[in-house]
């Protein structure tokens, strides 16, 4: 949610949490400009996010934190616009 709020330029976000037999699944979807159309002005209204390397911030840090529990994380742009982040975390720690 922090990334969606920080980098979403006012986009709306939706969070889904599901508990299955062996996994916790979390999905965050946010709206935004289409991958195909890009932004209306042709440039970002905010500077590009600063890349961090495992400092506990951003998608890299989130992926590392999920991996500590044996889970996996998938983050990508949505074709219709915005981003999707999905995490799958085992309930039985390895």
């Amino acid at each position: 949610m922090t990334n969606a709020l920080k980098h979403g330029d006012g986009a709306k976000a939706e969070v889904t949490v599901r508990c299955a037999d062996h996994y916790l699944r979390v999905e965050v979807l946010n709206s935004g400009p289409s991958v195909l159309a890009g932004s209306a002005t042709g440039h970002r209204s905010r500077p590009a996010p600063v890349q961090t390397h495992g400092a506990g911030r951003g998608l890299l840090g989130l992926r590392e934190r999920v991996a500590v529990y044996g889970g996996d994380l998938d983050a990508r742009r949505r074709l219709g616009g915005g981003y999707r982040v999905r995490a799958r975390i085992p309930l039985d720690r390895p």
Side-chain angles (χ1 to χ4, degrees):
M1 282 305 298
T2 301
N3 283 351
L5 293 172
K6 186 174 182 181
H7 302 291
D9 290 332
K12 294 182 180 182
E14 175 184 325
V15 178
T16 304
V17 179
R18 292 187 179 112
C19 187
D21 288 339
H22 301 285
Y23 291 96
L24 177 67
R25 297 175 188 267
V26 180
E27 179 178 69
V28 179
L29 304 173
N30 75 335
S31 60
S34 170
V35 172
L36 298 176
S39 65
T41 61
H43 67 279
R44 292 176 59 102
S45 60
R46 294 183 184 180
V50 174
Q51 294 293 323
T52 61
H53 301 284
R57 298 186 195 150
L59 292 173
L60 181 60
L62 183 55
R63 185 170 280 115
E64 290 174 348
R65 289 190 296 276
V66 169
V68 164
Y69 295 100
D72 54 70
L73 182 113
D74 178 61
R76 62 183 68 200
R77 286 181 180 236
R78 298 170 61 198
L79 188 59
Y83 271 83
R84 180 193 79 209
V85 178
R86 287 182 180 163
R88 186 178 69 129
I89 305 164
L91 294 174
D92 299 323
R93 189 170 177 177

